[in-house]
Amino acid sequence: GRRVALLDFNFQYGSIATFLDVPRREAVYELVSEASNLDATSLTQALSTYKDRLHVLTAPRDALPLDIVSPADVDAIISLARESFDYVVIDLPQALMNWSEKVYAAADDFYAVMEIDMRSAQNMYRFLRTLKAEDMNLDKLRFVLNRAPGMTDLSGKQRAKRVGESLGISFLHMVPDGGKPVVSCCDQGTPLAEGARSNPMRKEIVRMVEKFMTEETEKATAAG
């Protein structure tokens, strides 16, 4: 019963349209190139819908420069989306842009995803240094280890622990490698909930959402 919007802010190579098999609308280009004149109608025209359950802002059909939008444009898109939906989920490109700070500041929770390899750890280290240099609030960060070691992989678990300790972080979620079923679902444009419901990756994502919803309920109760 809640309205959810999923916004793909990777304007060059965003894949959400492929993963959900929804059309990339021409209005998306108009939205991102003229965001300063954004209103509820233009936002609605740019959104695709997945089975009437999820509203999606896909990446444009053509690869666009990531700086096609300004910080003010991003602010306008997020503000209008918040007015129109109960929950807004934003998928960001790996690159940091001059508008990235706007997304981070607007977020209630920011899920920082990494893997256990050295390259990913170094990138996370750089990202944290950047946030600290800009005096950004780190309390909203939720660290997620993707392709996490399995229950019986003790050496992998020790390695993940060392990586977390070296970065001074703790992983809120450990998402296992879903294997070929995940790749297959993505290629077919089918969500895991429909194509691989029992997949361990999907089960962990469900736990992530349940934890988030529990925290939301507790916040609402505390606020009266």
Side-chain angles (χ1 to χ4, degrees), residues 11-218:
F11 304 122
Q12 289 186 333
Y13 302 112
S15 301
I16 289 176
T18 302
F19 293 163
L20 292 177
D21 193 23
V22 295
R24 299 175 188 263
R25 297 188 175 180
E26 291 290 348
V28 174
Y29 174 77
E30 298 175 8
L31 177 75
V32 299
S33 60
E34 301 178 13
S36 56
N37 300 320
L38 185 65
D39 56 28
T41 301
S42 55
L43 177 63
T44 301
Q45 290 175 344
L47 294 176
S48 298
T49 305
Y50 179 79
K51 295 188 176 180
D52 297 324
R53 288 156 44 190
L54 181 67
H55 298 268
V56 184
L57 178 68
T58 70
R61 291 182 178 178
D62 299 318
L64 301 179
L66 291 176
D67 59 359
I68 191 172
V69 293
S70 68
D73 294 336
V74 167
D75 227 4
I77 294 173
I78 294 175
S79 296
L80 190 56
R82 272 184 153 168
E83 293 173 6
S84 306
F85 296 93
D86 299 304
Y87 294 101
V88 179
V89 182
I90 300 175
D91 186 32
L92 290 173
Q94 187 176 26
L96 293 176
M97 304 301 299
N98 62 343
W99 47 262
S100 299
E101 183 178 347
K102 289 291 185 181
V103 181
Y104 187 86
D108 296 308
D109 296 279
F110 189 99
Y111 289 84
V113 184
M114 63 172 290
E115 295 185 25
I116 203 172
D117 61 278
M118 185 60 67
R119 175 192 58 83
S120 189
Q122 289 175 342
N123 289 344
M124 183 61 74
Y125 175 72
R126 295 187 183 105
F127 176 64
L128 292 173
R129 280 179 58 89
T130 300
L131 294 182
K132 292 174 181 176
E134 297 295 327
D135 292 324
M136 301 295 288
N137 176 19
L138 302 184
D139 292 340
K140 63 180 65 180
L141 283 172
R142 307 287 182 265
F143 295 99
V144 179
L145 183 62
N146 192 23
R147 295 187 174 91
M151 293 292 293
T152 59
D153 186 358
L154 299 182
S155 62
K157 284 191 167 185
Q158 284 296 321
R159 187 180 176 194
K161 181 180 178 181
R162 290 196 298 271
V163 168
E165 290 174 347
S166 66
L167 292 171
I169 66 175
S170 59
F171 294 109
L172 181 64
H173 297 286
M174 308 275 280
V175 181
D177 189 340
K180 292 182 179 179
V182 175
V183 177
S184 177
C185 284
C186 289
D187 288 346
Q188 295 173 25
T190 304
L192 291 175
E194 298 175 12
R197 191 173 184 84
S198 60
N199 187 278
M201 180 180 177
R202 190 256 173 182
K203 290 181 178 179
E204 183 58 32
I205 292 173
V206 170
R207 281 192 283 269
M208 290 172 64
V209 177
E210 289 174 343
K211 182 175 180 59
F212 171 80
M213 295 304 298
T214 299
E215 292 174 350
E216 285 291 293
T217 302
E218 291 173 351

